[in-house]
Amino acid sequence: MRHIIVLASIGLLAACSSGEKDKGPTQREQIGQVWKYEGGEGAKAKLAYIGSTNAVQTMTAPDTFSVLLIQPMDNGEKIVRVKLVGAPFRCDLSDCSVSATGDDGKTELWKGRITTTDDGIEIPPSQKAYEVIAKSKTVKVDLITGTKDEKTAFQFNVAGLDLPK
């Protein structure tokens, strides 16, 4: 009888461990591709963010994507951060910049400094990144996802941003 119980227990353990566990939503699914707000809604939000609609496979992650974050300042200006999730963010530290294209088709060069977490670039209000985002329905941002020559255009559906202009 003991042998049957032991064999049944081993079989039950094997059955439980062979199934794939529910890991919950991925980071990309949690961020999503629509605007989300922290610290309030719309004009009262302390932070707005949105994930790119596309993702690419890189050497470090099968689902590398980008995130745009907008942080309103007390004086009404907005700081924009462009982050890369799943791959290291790369830029020339002496001239850290990314190129972005809004609905008008004009490519802008946004210059800033690498974020304190080294996963993106912080673009000051003087670069007018917020203005491009606020007046566009879609924005594409080119980021290095591999070697210096391997760039990926990450697209964001930015329509519906609810922050004061």
Side-chain angles (χ1 to χ4, degrees):
M1 184 70 170
R2 281 186 178 173
H3 297 291
I4 294 173
I5 294 173
V6 170
L7 288 174
S9 298
I10 292 172
L12 185 59
L13 286 174
C16 290
S17 65
S18 67
E20 207 171 294
K21 294 181 181 178
D22 181 22
K23 297 178 183 176
T26 64
Q27 189 173 12
R28 184 163 185 252
E29 291 167 339
Q30 289 173 356
I31 291 173
Q33 290 85 46
V34 295
W35 286 108
K36 293 188 178 174
Y37 303 90
E38 289 185 6
E41 288 294 317
K44 296 176 185 163
K46 293 186 171 132
L47 181 71
Y49 60 92
I50 189 169
S52 62
T53 59
N54 62 319
V56 296
Q57 183 169 356
T58 62
M59 290 182 63
T60 55
D63 193 22
T64 297
F65 65 102
S66 183
V67 179
L68 285 178
L69 297 103
I70 300 175
Q71 185 173 13
M73 297 170 31
D74 290 338
N75 65 1
E77 294 182 315
K78 319 278 188 300
I79 294 174
V80 174
R81 289 181 186 90
V82 179
K83 294 191 174 208
L84 192 57
V85 180
F89 185 85
R90 295 189 178 117
C91 74
D92 182 351
L93 295 180
S94 63
D95 184 25
C96 195
S97 63
V98 296
S99 60
T101 308
D103 288 346
D104 61 5
K106 183 180 173 189
T107 300
E108 307 276 340
L109 188 64
W110 294 341
K111 294 183 176 194
R113 61 185 168 100
I114 198 134
T115 60
T116 55
T117 53
D118 293 338
D119 62 351
I121 183 174
E122 184 173 293
I123 304 158
S126 63
Q127 296 293 299
K128 307 292 183 198
Y130 173 75
E131 287 75 4
V132 172
I133 294 167
K135 71 180 181 182
S136 298
K137 291 181 182 176
T138 61
V139 171
K140 290 181 185 175
V141 179
D142 294 323
L143 300 174
I144 299 170
T145 54
T147 64
K148 194 171 188 173
D149 296 331
E150 286 182 63
K151 287 188 177 181
T152 300
F154 289 96
Q155 182 169 320
F156 299 89
N157 292 332
V158 295
L161 176 61
D162 185 21
L163 289 175
K165 302 235 181 315

